[in-house]
Amino acid sequence: MNRVSIPNHCGFFILVLLSALFSSCDDDRLSEAIQGTWNTQYNLTSNDQSVDSVNETLVFEKGNNDDTSGTLVETKRYISKNYEYGDDTYDYVLDSYVEGKWEIIAGDLYVSYDVSTLRVAVEEKSLKVHYSPYEVLSSDLLDLVAEKNELEKQIQKSCYSDMFDYYHCKKDESYQYSDLEINGNSMSFKDSEQEEYHYYKLLVSAKNNSSV
């Protein structure tokens, strides 16, 4: 019996076709699995070596049934301690909120943000300034209160500016996260520098954050 040979270019075309088919099926699976609320916690070290504890929540909602894309809400809570303020230090809690869009293409997650939705606020009564005993004794209480209120405004303004710049870079072009994997309640992906991020699915939606 004569064997029928398949030209090399036909074999390559078949492999590409099968790869695209499997990729499309996996994108559909990932876009279904990503829906819901995801959370992660990590530490950020600033230039002055102060450390912020960050609690980050992502809420993914899918668009039309056949889409592998949808809308995103990202909220973060920063717990900052021992920031230098002249001869004193201070602690505070900051909340941020921003909306965006997401899409899954060939197993990668693409995210873009709408900076017009960005909200940043220092949590009420969370700012604590650790004055020196001498400063407390030698200063008027009303002056210290006014100084603290002004510091809170400065923190909020500075943090909003930094976050606006961060999200604005991801406004016009979607930011790509590679190697998206979702297994049950665990999700991971990598950024452009191959740093890996891990999230865990929550049962309760955190889309509506009333603190910001």
Side-chain angles (χ1 to χ4, degrees):
M1 180 180 294
N2 294 329
R3 294 182 177 179
V4 178
S5 61
I6 300 177
N8 290 335
H9 66 274
C10 290
F12 176 75
F13 175 76
I14 292 173
L15 288 176
V16 170
L17 187 62
L18 289 173
S19 176
L21 179 62
F22 286 126
S23 176
S24 176
C25 291
D26 197 45
D27 287 352
D28 290 338
R29 180 189 67 80
L30 290 171
S31 66
E32 289 292 336
I34 203 172
Q35 295 181 87
T37 303
W38 300 83
N39 178 263
T40 189
Q41 299 179 25
Y42 52 91
N43 292 328
L44 282 179
T45 303
S46 302
N47 293 333
D48 61 359
Q49 299 306 306
S50 56
V51 179
D52 292 348
S53 298
V54 185
N55 189 310
E56 179 180 324
T57 301
L58 303 175
V59 181
F60 292 89
E61 290 189 0
K62 192 178 177 183
N64 297 326
N65 292 334
D66 295 334
D67 283 351
T68 57
S69 62
T71 58
L72 167 71
V73 171
E74 179 176 302
T75 58
K76 294 182 181 180
R77 165 161 285 205
Y78 297 83
I79 301 176
S80 305
K81 294 183 179 294
N82 297 323
Y83 269 69
E84 293 184 359
Y85 178 55
D87 295 330
D88 309 310
T89 61
Y90 64 89
D91 311 329
Y92 68 93
V93 177
L94 183 94
D95 293 309
S96 69
Y97 171 102
V98 69
E99 298 177 5
K101 296 180 179 179
W102 62 272
E103 184 173 7
I104 297 174
I105 303 175
D108 292 341
L109 175 64
Y110 293 80
V111 176
S112 61
Y113 295 95
D114 179 0
V115 291
S116 68
T117 64
L118 177 63
R119 302 202 299 270
V120 177
V122 176
E123 185 182 70
E124 186 177 1
K125 298 181 180 179
S126 70
L127 177 60
K128 297 179 181 178
V129 183
H130 305 288
Y131 294 108
S132 66
Y134 171 79
E135 193 166 7
V136 173
L137 293 174
S138 62
S139 302
D140 185 273
L141 179 60
L142 292 178
D143 290 340
L144 292 180
V145 171
E147 183 179 287
K148 181 179 177 182
N149 291 338
E150 182 61 29
L151 175 60
E152 182 174 315
K153 293 177 182 178
Q154 291 177 10
I155 293 171
Q156 188 162 309
K157 183 178 180 180
S158 176
C159 290
Y160 179 88
S161 178
D162 290 343
M163 291 184 186
F164 184 91
D165 291 341
Y166 171 78
Y167 288 116
H168 191 270
C169 293
K170 302 177 181 180
K171 180 189 74 169
D172 297 324
E173 295 184 5
S174 295
Y175 189 83
Q176 180 182 2
Y177 295 99
S178 62
D179 299 335
L180 173 63
E181 293 186 7
I182 302 176
N183 296 305
N185 294 328
S186 177
M187 174 173 69
S188 65
F189 47 73
K190 298 177 182 177
D191 63 14
S192 58
E193 297 179 353
Q194 294 301 298
E195 182 175 354
E196 193 165 16
Y197 299 83
H198 295 270
Y199 292 79
Y200 299 93
K201 200 164 194 176
L202 302 179
L203 298 178
V204 179
S205 174
K207 181 179 181 181
N208 296 321
N209 191 334
S210 58
S211 60
V212 291

